[in-house]
């Protein structure tokens, strides 16, 4: 079956954006075919232009081919569908263990007798632990045979991108069953891109397919990205074209025939193709110009392995000395004494969660949790003898009545449980300090907990506050009915549920604060910096106006997500890079100029949506500054005016003097580019240093070679022919010296001089007889005899 592609057609968009520039260069090349208006060969433009087009087209074709292969692999997955070959809304889909879920399904049956299954959602939300999904109560008694013949209706809201909410109702039709409406939540769904784990089979009915799934709506459409250099070239091309029109009119009116040699800026298409980790090679040259890196924390900067380190219970701090509360003698002693406050704290740690304990054949217990924090809390409680659910050998039985789920707005979760032995109904809560501490019962002092949270936060620990209270049975029954009505609402279900939960989560007895460590990865040093430019403006003429401006800025900052922040940095001209490892980071990655995904424990959603994929955060340094082929300064090294003057000078009529001006201008340009590029470079590599200053040295070396070859070549040739055919006395002496060898004794020297004198005397005598001229001998006999 086929699924819609997740990637935008960036190639076509880029071609449309640069159409004018391509037409301009093509026009210039065509004009050079007209011999009456061009003094140069068309090959000087058509040759480089053909190479540029071939390289660019080959690179774009390679990108498209890789995207095609990736989409083809995802689109041609096979799944088992009962009613049709392609999945449509209402189809019944069967899945087996380790299958990837192809669309959003409502779970109606599993191989588990209790009607549960486990799904891995790391590719969707970045959470690595398994989540439990439950068959709706209305379908709990359906046999596998009935699942293929079941008929009914699912009422649900329009598709949205909220992966933590699903508001719907289900009703089944006769002859299998005739029932009232049953409310459905996100716990009754299997979402696209997740995987079925530890479950032999599962069956569901399709409710959202294609781009209407929650994964598709969250992913959005990848915005095409154009490099800063390409965007600048596109604008400059228009400006150059208009400028050339003016120049042509002015110089044409004056009667001057000229030719402007347009220097093309060739993009780094070959080097882009060299970087194999890139899914979008069109933006490789921007890597060297990144000014701000925005990063997810958990799993990107950290190891994503949570360890319980410290806690504060009843205003007593544990784990301060050895940084491990589980080894603190005072806490271990309190546990052995069954201290009531300790027991309550550990009970909330063990019960207030959605952890599923799994007991192996050898009796050991492992935990499958929706979050690493919950697993760390439950594991720590078990090490302190509070195992789901027994304490110091004594077993306790609780009925789980309701779960008040965690949301990003509530920042807390609660569980309502009933003690089977005593019949007491308890509300157990845990969450962020700002969500729990203000809900304490009147009169409880929480100053110590506030200071403890601040101290733990400064140490880089993840904090949770724990509390509880006992509920009256009548209070719970009234609340439970209201909660059920809110859960069945099809309009504003989440808001109504939040209001009902808010009414119950009051007058809590704060039990303490837990602190969990998520260590930074190796080779990572985190420091914060603020943008140099203005992101939020504060202005006003009066104190009242300034105060209102400050309040607006503060409100904007509080409501600002990371994706809003990226857009804000881009709006003021900063080049941004976003990096993350989970599905929740996809929007941030797509919003930034450059997106980097880490393929790790949280799946491949971020890596697939990014422009570049790496294994760990520490490899980002190598990506931003890898080799000779990346990290280069993206703008032209020569000022446009200097290039224009140099070009005009080079094709002027008066070659000798304006050639001199051209050389001076080009020499100054070389000096200028060396210093400007050095000043604008943020980090240096050996290839950069060699090429920046090597260009400077090479310019003078090449000019020196040219000057010697052009200037000295004719002189040396003239002297050679003179020595061969019209030698003077000095030339003859040099020839004799070379012929007889280099001997420095006096006798040899005298002998050679005598020979030379005699030879020259005869030579001059012959010359006088032949020409009738009078010459004086160059060397007299006395000089020859005296040496």
């Amino acid at each position: 079956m086929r699924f819609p592609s997740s990637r935008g057609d960036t190639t076509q968009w880029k071609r449309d954006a640069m159409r004018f520039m391509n037409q301009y260069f093509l026009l210039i090349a065509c004009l050079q075919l007209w011999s009456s208006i061009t003094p140069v060969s068309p090959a000087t433009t058509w040759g480089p232009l053909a190479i540029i087009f071939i390289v660019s087209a080959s690179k774009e074709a390679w990108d498209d081919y890789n995207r095609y292969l990736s989409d083809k692999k995802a689109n041609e997955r096979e799944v088992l569908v009962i009613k049709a070959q392609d999945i449509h809304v209402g189809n019944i889909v069967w899945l087996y263990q380790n299958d990837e879920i192809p669309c959003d399904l409502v779970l109606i049956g599993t191989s588990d007798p209790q009607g549960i299954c486990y799904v891995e959602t790391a590719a969707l939300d970045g959470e690595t632990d398994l989540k439990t999904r439950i068959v709706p109560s209305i379908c709990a008694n359906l046999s596998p045979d009935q699942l293929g013949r079941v008929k009914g209706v699912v009422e649900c809201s329009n598709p949205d991108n909220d992966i933590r909410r699903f508001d719907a109702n289900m009703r089944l039709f006769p002859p299998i069953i005739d029932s009232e409406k049953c409310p459905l939540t996100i716990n009754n769904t299997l979402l696209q891109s997740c995987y079925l784990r530890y479950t032999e089979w599962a069956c569901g009915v399709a409710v959202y397919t294609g781009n209407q799934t929650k994964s598709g709506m969250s992913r959005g459409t990848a915005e095409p990205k154009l490099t800063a250099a390409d965007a600048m070239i596109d604008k400059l091309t228009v400006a150059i074209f208009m400028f050339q029109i003016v120049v042509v009119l002015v110089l044409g009116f004056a009667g001057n025939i000229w030719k402007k040699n347009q220097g093309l800026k060739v993009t780094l298409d070959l080097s882009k193709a060299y970087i194999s980790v890139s899914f979008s090679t069109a933006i490789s040259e921007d890597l060297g110009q990144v000014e701000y890196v925005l990063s997810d924390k958990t799993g990107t900067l950290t190891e994503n392995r949570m360890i319980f380190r410290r806690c504060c219970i009843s205003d007593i701090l544990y784990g301060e000395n050895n940084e491990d509360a589980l080894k603190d003698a005072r806490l271990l002693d309190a546990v052995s004494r069954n201290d009531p406050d300790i027991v309550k704290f550990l009970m909330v740690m063990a019960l207030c969660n959605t952890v599923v304990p799994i007991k192996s054949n050898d009796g050991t217990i492992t935990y499958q949790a929706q979050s690493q924090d919950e697993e760390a809390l439950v594991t720590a409680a078990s090490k302190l003898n509070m195992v789901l659910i027994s304490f110091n050998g004594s077993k306790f039985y609780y009925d789980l009545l309701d779960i008040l789920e965690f949301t990003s707005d509530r920042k807390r979760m609660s569980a309502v449980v009933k003690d089977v032995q005593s019949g007491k109904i308890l509300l157990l809560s845990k969450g962020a300090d700002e969500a729990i501490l203000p809900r304490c019962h009147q009169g409880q002092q929480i100053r110590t907990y506030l200071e403890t949270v601040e101290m733990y936060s400064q140490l880089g620990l993840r904090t949770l506050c724990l509390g509880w209270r006992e509920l009256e049975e009548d209070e719970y029954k009234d609340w439970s009915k209201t909660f059920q009505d809110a859960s069945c609402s099809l309009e504003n279900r989440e808001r109504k549920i939040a209001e009902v939960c808010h009414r119950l989560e009051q007058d809590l007895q704060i039990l303490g604060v837990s602190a969990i460590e998520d260590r930074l990865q190796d080779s990572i040093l985190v420091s914060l910096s603020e943008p140099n430019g203005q992101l939020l403006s504060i202005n006003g003429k009066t104190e009242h106006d300034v105060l209102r401006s400050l309040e607006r800025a503060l409100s904007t900052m509080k409501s600002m997500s990371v994706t809003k922040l990226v857009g804000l940095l881009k709006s003021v001209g900063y080049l941004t890079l976003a990096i993350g490892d989970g599905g929740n980071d996809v929007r941030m990655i797509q919003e930034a100029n450059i997106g980097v995904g880490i393929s790790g424990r949280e799946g491949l959603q971020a890596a697939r949506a990014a422009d570049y994929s790496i294994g760990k955060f520490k490899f980002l340094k190598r990506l931003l500054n890898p080799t000779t082929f990346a990290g280069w300064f993206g703008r032209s090294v020569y000022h446009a005016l200097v290039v224009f003057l140099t070009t005009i000078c080079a094709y002027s009529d008066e070659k000798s003097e304006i050639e001199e001006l051209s050389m001076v201008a080009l020499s100054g340009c070389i000096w200028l580019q060396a210093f400007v590029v050095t000043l604008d470079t943020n980090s240096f590599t050996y290839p950069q240093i060699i090429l920046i200053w090597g260009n400077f040295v090479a310019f003078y070396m090449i000019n020196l070679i040219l000057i010697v070859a052009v200037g000295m070549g004719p002189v040396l040739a003239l002297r050679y022919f003179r020595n061969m055919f019209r030698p003077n006395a000095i030339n003859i002496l040099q020839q004799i010296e070379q012929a007889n060898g280099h001997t420095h004794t006096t006798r040899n020297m005298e002998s050679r001089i005598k020979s030379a004198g005699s030879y020259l005397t005869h030579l001059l005598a012959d010359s006088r007889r032949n020409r009738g001229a009078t010459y004086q001998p160059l060397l007299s006999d006395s000089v020859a005899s005296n040496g």
Side-chain angles (χ1 to χ4, degrees):
M1 63 171 300
R2 294 281 175 181
F3 294 93
S5 173
S6 63
R7 302 183 185 273
D9 189 0
T10 61
T11 303
Q12 184 61 40
W13 186 90
K14 184 177 179 182
R15 288 171 182 162
D16 293 340
M18 302 182 70
R19 181 179 300 168
F20 177 81
M21 184 172 65
N22 293 336
Q23 292 174 349
Y24 163 74
F25 289 128
L26 185 60
L27 174 63
I28 294 297
C30 291
L31 288 176
Q32 289 196 348
L33 296 175
W34 192 357
S35 59
S36 62
I37 64 172
T38 178
V40 297
S41 170
T44 59
T45 297
W46 281 99
L49 197 62
I51 294 175
I52 292 168
F53 284 163
I54 291 173
V55 172
S56 297
S58 301
K59 188 270 300 180
E60 297 292 351
W62 179 254
D63 283 351
D64 287 345
Y65 179 69
N66 286 331
R67 283 192 286 267
Y68 163 76
L69 292 180
S70 177
D71 290 341
K72 183 174 183 292
K73 182 178 180 181
N75 292 344
E76 295 184 352
R77 285 197 322 272
E78 295 183 355
V79 296
L80 182 61
V81 185
I82 291 297
K83 293 187 177 181
Q85 181 181 358
D86 297 335
I87 295 182
H88 301 287
V89 173
N91 290 160
I92 296 177
V93 180
W94 292 81
L95 301 169
Y96 295 94
Q97 183 167 308
N98 298 327
D99 279 354
E100 182 178 355
I101 300 171
C103 62
D104 290 351
L105 306 171
V106 171
L107 185 65
I108 61 174
T110 74
S111 58
D112 187 87
Q114 299 181 359
I116 63 175
C117 68
Y118 304 105
V119 293
E120 178 185 301
T121 62
L124 189 64
D125 56 15
E127 298 177 1
T128 58
D129 298 292
L130 301 183
K131 291 183 174 58
T132 306
R133 293 296 182 253
I134 307 172
V135 173
S137 58
I138 195 174
C139 303
N141 297 322
L142 295 179
S143 65
D145 294 337
Q146 292 175 320
L147 291 176
R149 297 179 288 109
V150 66
K151 295 182 179 180
V153 62
V154 175
E155 301 174 352
C156 55
S157 56
N158 291 329
D160 57 50
N161 61 357
D162 192 345
I163 62 174
R164 303 188 183 278
R165 189 184 73 180
F166 179 69
D167 302 334
N169 296 320
M170 174 184 281
R171 181 181 176 185
L172 299 185
F173 295 156
I176 296 178
I177 188 171
D178 188 6
S179 64
E180 298 296 330
K181 290 183 179 179
C182 174
L184 303 177
T185 68
I186 197 68
N187 291 327
N188 306 122
T189 63
L190 303 176
L191 300 184
Q192 186 189 39
S193 298
C194 299
Y195 289 84
L196 186 68
R197 303 296 192 198
Y198 299 110
T199 306
E200 184 179 350
W201 59 264
C203 180
V205 57
V207 289
Y208 300 128
T209 61
N211 285 333
Q212 293 185 339
T213 64
K214 291 186 178 293
S215 174
M217 300 288 285
S218 300
R219 182 169 55 240
T221 303
E223 291 293 333
K225 298 178 180 180
L226 199 65
T227 71
D230 287 338
M232 179 65 71
I233 291 172
D234 203 13
K235 296 177 182 178
L236 288 178
T237 302
V238 178
I240 291 172
F241 179 78
M242 300 304 297
F243 178 73
Q244 285 183 328
I245 294 295
V246 174
V247 170
V248 168
L249 291 176
V250 172
L251 297 184
F253 180 78
N256 295 325
I257 299 176
W258 62 280
K259 173 68 176 73
K260 185 173 190 314
N261 180 24
Q262 172 65 37
L264 299 176
K265 185 274 182 187
V266 183
T267 54
L268 307 177
D269 287 334
L270 287 175
S271 62
K272 292 173 184 177
Y274 179 82
I275 303 178
S276 59
V277 296
S278 171
F279 295 115
S280 178
T281 61
I283 58 173
S284 299
E285 60 260 43
D286 277 350
L287 289 172
Q289 304 178 65
V290 171
E291 296 172 275
Y292 287 95
V293 176
L294 297 98
S295 173
D296 171 48
K297 179 186 175 184
T298 304
T300 302
L301 297 177
T302 64
E303 296 178 351
N304 202 10
R305 290 181 174 85
M306 311 299 178
I307 303 175
F308 184 87
R309 286 300 186 192
R310 304 187 185 192
C311 62
C312 176
I313 307 174
S314 300
D315 297 341
I316 300 176
L317 300 176
Y318 298 100
E320 296 302 299
N321 296 329
N322 55 6
E323 298 184 358
D324 189 353
L326 301 181
K327 297 180 180 179
D328 194 312
R330 296 174 300 157
L331 180 59
L332 297 176
D333 180 65
V335 169
S336 64
R337 292 185 287 102
N338 292 346
D339 183 285
D341 292 335
I342 302 296
V343 173
K344 294 177 183 177
F345 186 85
L346 296 179
M347 186 176 296
V348 175
M349 287 175 57
L351 285 177
C352 186
N353 52 64
T354 56
V355 173
V356 178
I358 300 176
K359 191 172 185 178
S360 61
N361 295 331
D362 58 1
T364 58
I365 298 177
T366 57
Y367 300 105
Q368 291 293 340
Q370 292 189 11
S371 72
Q372 298 256 355
D373 297 83
E374 287 191 343
E375 182 180 354
L377 290 176
V378 174
T379 302
S382 66
K383 292 181 178 179
L384 294 173
N385 299 333
M386 181 69 76
V387 184
L388 281 178
I389 185 77
S390 67
F391 180 67
N392 283 343
S394 302
K395 292 187 177 182
F396 301 88
Y397 296 93
Y398 290 88
D399 287 335
L400 180 62
L401 302 181
D402 289 291
I403 290 289
L404 285 61
E405 295 184 350
F406 174 90
T407 67
S408 57
D409 293 329
R410 285 166 33 81
K411 297 182 180 179
R412 63 186 180 275
M413 75 156 292
S414 299
V416 181
V417 298
K418 183 176 183 179
D419 189 333
V420 175
Q421 296 176 346
S422 65
K424 293 182 179 180
I425 300 177
L426 305 175
L427 173 69
L428 313 178
S429 300
K430 74 172 189 295
D433 55 294
E434 67 268 25
I436 296 295
L437 296 182
R439 302 178 182 277
C440 66
H441 67 79
Q442 188 173 5
Q444 183 176 8
Q445 298 296 323
I446 60 173
R447 180 176 179 180
T448 302
Y449 295 131
L450 289 171
E451 295 174 349
T452 301
V453 168
E454 179 67 21
M455 179 184 67
Y456 288 164
S457 299
Q458 292 179 0
L459 294 174
L461 302 177
R462 302 160 64 96
T463 60
L464 286 173
C465 295
L466 282 63
W468 85 336
R469 79 178 177 98
E470 186 175 339
L471 304 177
E472 298 293 336
E473 187 170 355
D474 293 339
E475 176 189 9
Y476 170 72
K477 287 182 178 180
D478 293 340
W479 177 87
S480 179
K481 185 178 183 303
T482 307
F483 182 70
Q484 181 67 17
D485 293 340
S487 300
C488 293
S489 175
L490 291 180
E491 296 182 359
N492 300 321
R493 178 185 293 186
E494 186 176 10
R495 180 179 61 82
K496 293 178 180 179
I497 291 177
E499 292 174 353
V500 174
C501 294
H502 176 77
R503 283 165 37 195
L504 190 68
E505 295 168 326
Q506 300 290 340
D507 298 326
L508 297 176
Q509 177 189 352
I510 307 302
L511 300 175
V513 180
S514 67
I516 297 174
E517 178 187 44
D518 186 11
R519 291 183 176 177
L520 291 174
Q521 298 177 13
D522 294 337
S523 305
I524 291 182
L525 178 62
V526 179
S527 62
L528 301 177
S529 63
E530 297 181 358
N532 297 324
Q534 177 176 294
L535 298 182
L536 297 173
S537 61
I538 309 296
N539 51 49
K541 296 182 178 180
T542 66
E543 181 180 352
H544 178 69
D545 292 341
V546 174
L547 181 60
R548 292 187 60 185
S549 182
L550 284 170
E551 290 175 349
R552 286 195 300 269
L554 182 61
S555 176
T556 301
M557 293 176 64
K558 287 184 177 179
S559 62
M560 187 182 297
S561 65
V562 176
T563 304
K564 199 167 182 185
L565 180 57
V566 174
L568 191 61
L569 286 168
K570 288 174 62 178
S571 67
V572 294
Y574 293 113
L575 201 151
T576 60
L577 180 148
I579 180 171
D581 67 329
N584 55 321
D585 303 319
V586 168
R587 297 304 298 271
M588 175 183 70
I589 289 172
Q590 292 179 340
E591 177 68 20
N593 298 96
I594 299 174
V596 179
I598 294 180
S599 53
R601 300 186 66 194
E602 297 190 12
L604 297 176
Q605 283 290 95
R608 289 171 178 171
D611 303 305
Y612 300 89
S613 175
I614 58 178
K616 290 186 177 181
F617 185 87
K618 64 181 181 180
F619 299 144
L620 182 63
K621 181 178 180 181
R622 294 172 57 185
L623 177 65
L624 293 179
N625 199 5
T627 66
T628 307
F629 297 94
W632 302 110
F633 197 72
R635 73 177 69 145
S636 176
V637 296
Y638 303 122
H639 194 280
L641 181 60
V642 175
V643 176
F644 172 73
L645 290 175
T646 304
T647 306
I648 294 297
C649 294
Y651 288 93
S652 176
D653 290 334
E654 299 181 8
K655 289 289 184 179
S656 59
E657 296 182 1
I658 302 193
E659 283 181 357
E660 293 177 1
L661 179 59
S662 174
M663 181 58 66
V664 172
L666 188 57
S667 178
C669 184
I670 293 293
W671 278 90
L672 181 63
Q673 67 88 18
F675 287 110
V676 170
V677 172
T678 302
L679 288 175
D680 285 352
T681 301
N682 295 324
S683 60
F684 291 93
T685 61
Y686 290 115
Q688 282 176 311
I689 296 173
I690 293 172
L691 290 181
I692 291 173
W693 294 101
N695 181 39
F696 173 78
V697 174
F699 171 77
Y700 287 101
M701 292 297 296
I702 292 173
N703 277 279
L704 179 62
I705 294 172
L706 289 175
I707 290 172
V708 171
V710 176
M712 296 298 296
V715 175
L716 294 176
L718 179 61
R719 292 189 177 185
Y720 174 77
F721 285 105
R722 180 187 296 171
N723 292 343
M724 291 294 295
F725 302 105
R726 295 293 300 275
N728 56 26
I730 300 300
N731 301 141
I732 295 172
L733 287 174
Q734 290 174 344
Q735 293 176 10
I736 294 172
E737 181 75 17
Q738 293 175 0
N740 295 335
H742 301 281
T743 307
H744 300 287
T745 62
T746 303
R747 179 177 298 178
N748 289 340
M749 183 66 70
E750 292 178 354
S751 174
R752 290 204 306 274
I753 292 175
K754 288 180 180 180
S755 299
S758 176
Y759 174 78
L760 289 174
T761 300
H762 292 296
L763 183 63
L764 291 173
D766 293 339
S767 179
R768 284 197 298 269
R769 285 194 299 269
N770 294 335
R771 300 186 182 181
T774 302
Y775 292 99
Q776 295 295 327
L778 293 177
L779 294 174
S780 66
D781 292 341
S782 61
V783 174
S785 61
N786 293 331

